[in-house]
Amino acid sequence: MIKRLIAGVTGIVILMLAVAIGLDQWISLRTQPYIYDEVQTLPHRQVGVVLGTSKYYRTGVINQYYLYRIQGAINAYNSGKVKYLLLSGDNAQQSYNEPSTMRRDLIAAGIPASDIVLDYAGFRTLDSIVRTRKVFDTNDFIIITQRFHCERALFIALHMGIQAQCFAVPSPKNMLTVRGREIFARLGALTDLYLLKREPRFLGPLIPIPAIHNIPDDAQGYPAVTPEQLLALQQQLEAEKKAAIAKAAADKAAAEKAAADKAAADEAARIKAEQEANEAAQAETEDAEPAPKPEPVKPVGRNPFQQ
């Protein structure tokens, strides 16, 4: 019995892994025609979207993925393949600001501040891709990131009907762990797209690129959503979440109370109905006429004392 159970569990695990790997490879094949490894072969587009990541690891070591993306953005801009760089990343905390960090490094590399656009609400890859279309009014753009990330970003774009290509910048040599996590990230993306039908966490007003804007060197950038707005949004979302939890708890308690009251009322009605039925049966018994006494049976046959 135990051996069969172990064999069954092992078979299920192997099947799940096979499905996950199959979906991973399907996404890679689906997006292959839209990925470019060399800047020379990259098509000309107005906007290049740099997907954000942290500049440093928690240990303080610089993140090679970040360096390659920044260098890829510099190469794409200096080669004339893109005219504007949209830096999309996470700014959920005041101490963590991916777009501003990328902007400082790009300006230090000679990219004009006026050609840099900041998107502080790129919380996830889906947010970055869809916001580029719906907020920045750009439907044909170049994504700049590593190849494995290109494939997931392009798959999201294709599913959303967005025309995009990707400039695949180099990846660090030791990326086995990252590539393994990417399989689960792709499963999450498939869930978001096909099951949950998720949209970006925050959209905001339409801000086309290019737009008439002048940005001084010391400015924070050209934000679609400011850090203050994001902080207010975070607080609003937390308050709404707490209110929703409280409402769900209250609704559950009310439903349980209503069910208990209904059960009690049904039980009382049942008991009352039984009592009424018993009383009615007893009354019918009392009102019924008594049955007549049977007449004595006369003996049949000849009396031996009669002559």
Side-chain angles (χ1 to χ4, degrees):
M1 180 65 181
I2 296 178
K3 290 183 178 180
R4 290 183 180 179
L5 180 62
I6 294 175
V9 172
T10 303
I12 293 173
V13 171
I14 293 174
L15 179 61
M16 292 176 63
L17 288 175
V19 171
I21 294 173
L23 291 173
D24 175 82
Q25 293 302 308
W26 173 56
I27 290 176
S28 298
L29 293 174
R30 177 74 176 83
T31 56
Q32 181 64 33
Y34 308 97
I35 299 177
Y36 299 84
D37 294 303
E38 302 294 335
V39 70
Q40 293 82 4
T41 59
L42 198 63
H44 290 81
R45 295 293 182 268
Q46 191 172 48
V47 177
V49 181
V50 187
L51 299 182
T53 186
S54 59
K55 184 175 181 178
Y56 298 98
Y57 293 113
R58 293 180 180 179
T59 57
V61 178
I62 195 163
N63 184 356
Q64 295 294 321
Y65 292 95
Y66 175 89
L67 292 181
Y68 283 130
R69 293 183 195 183
I70 292 298
Q71 188 59 53
I74 294 170
N75 294 342
Y77 180 87
N78 288 337
S79 64
K81 298 295 184 177
V82 297
K83 296 180 180 179
Y84 296 90
L85 290 174
L86 173 59
L87 313 181
S88 182
D90 190 356
N91 182 43
Q93 301 176 4
Q94 293 181 348
S95 59
Y96 184 76
N97 192 323
E98 292 176 354
S100 293
T101 302
M102 290 190 288
R103 179 180 183 272
R104 285 195 299 268
D105 290 341
L106 288 172
I107 291 176
I111 306 298
S114 58
D115 292 339
I116 296 176
V117 182
L118 301 186
D119 178 14
Y120 291 112
F123 300 108
R124 301 176 305 159
T125 303
L126 184 145
D127 295 67
S128 297
I129 300 303
V130 178
R131 280 176 55 81
T132 301
R133 176 67 185 95
K134 293 188 176 182
V135 174
F136 298 98
D137 197 25
T138 302
N139 189 42
D140 195 358
F141 50 88
I142 300 292
I143 304 168
I144 302 173
T145 187
Q146 276 73 27
R147 172 174 281 273
F148 69 88
H149 200 187
C150 276
E151 294 170 353
R152 175 157 49 96
L154 284 170
F155 186 83
I156 293 171
L158 291 171
H159 181 81
M160 294 293 185
I162 300 172
Q163 301 175 16
Q165 295 80 34
C166 193
F167 178 28
V169 300
S171 298
K173 294 181 180 179
N174 187 11
M175 57 169 292
L176 182 61
T177 302
V178 174
R179 189 61 186 86
R181 289 202 304 264
E182 177 64 19
I183 295 177
F184 294 98
R186 294 184 182 191
L187 293 177
L190 290 170
T191 302
D192 288 341
L193 295 175
Y194 290 97
L195 297 180
L196 302 180
K197 310 290 184 182
R198 281 188 174 172
E199 288 288 331
R201 186 174 174 184
F202 186 74
L203 285 175
L206 183 67
I207 306 177
I209 301 175
I212 300 175
H213 59 283
N214 295 316
I215 304 177
D217 292 338
D218 59 348
Q220 291 297 318
Y222 172 50
V225 184
T226 64
E228 291 77 14
Q229 288 175 313
L230 286 178
L231 181 60
L233 172 65
Q234 186 74 18
Q235 294 173 348
Q236 178 185 348
L237 291 175
E238 291 178 357
E240 291 177 354
K241 183 178 180 181
K242 290 180 180 178
I245 293 174
K247 184 177 182 301
D251 292 344
K252 182 180 179 181
E256 291 177 350
K257 184 177 183 302
D261 292 343
K262 185 177 183 302
D266 292 343
E267 181 65 16
R270 185 186 66 79
I271 294 174
K272 183 179 180 181
E274 288 182 356
Q275 290 177 347
E276 291 177 351
N278 292 335
E279 291 175 357
Q282 185 177 359
E284 290 178 358
T285 302
E286 292 175 353
D287 294 341
E289 295 182 357
K293 293 183 178 181
E295 296 181 358
V297 179
K298 296 180 179 181
V300 179
R302 182 179 178 183
N303 190 339
F305 297 99
Q306 290 180 351
Q307 295 296 328

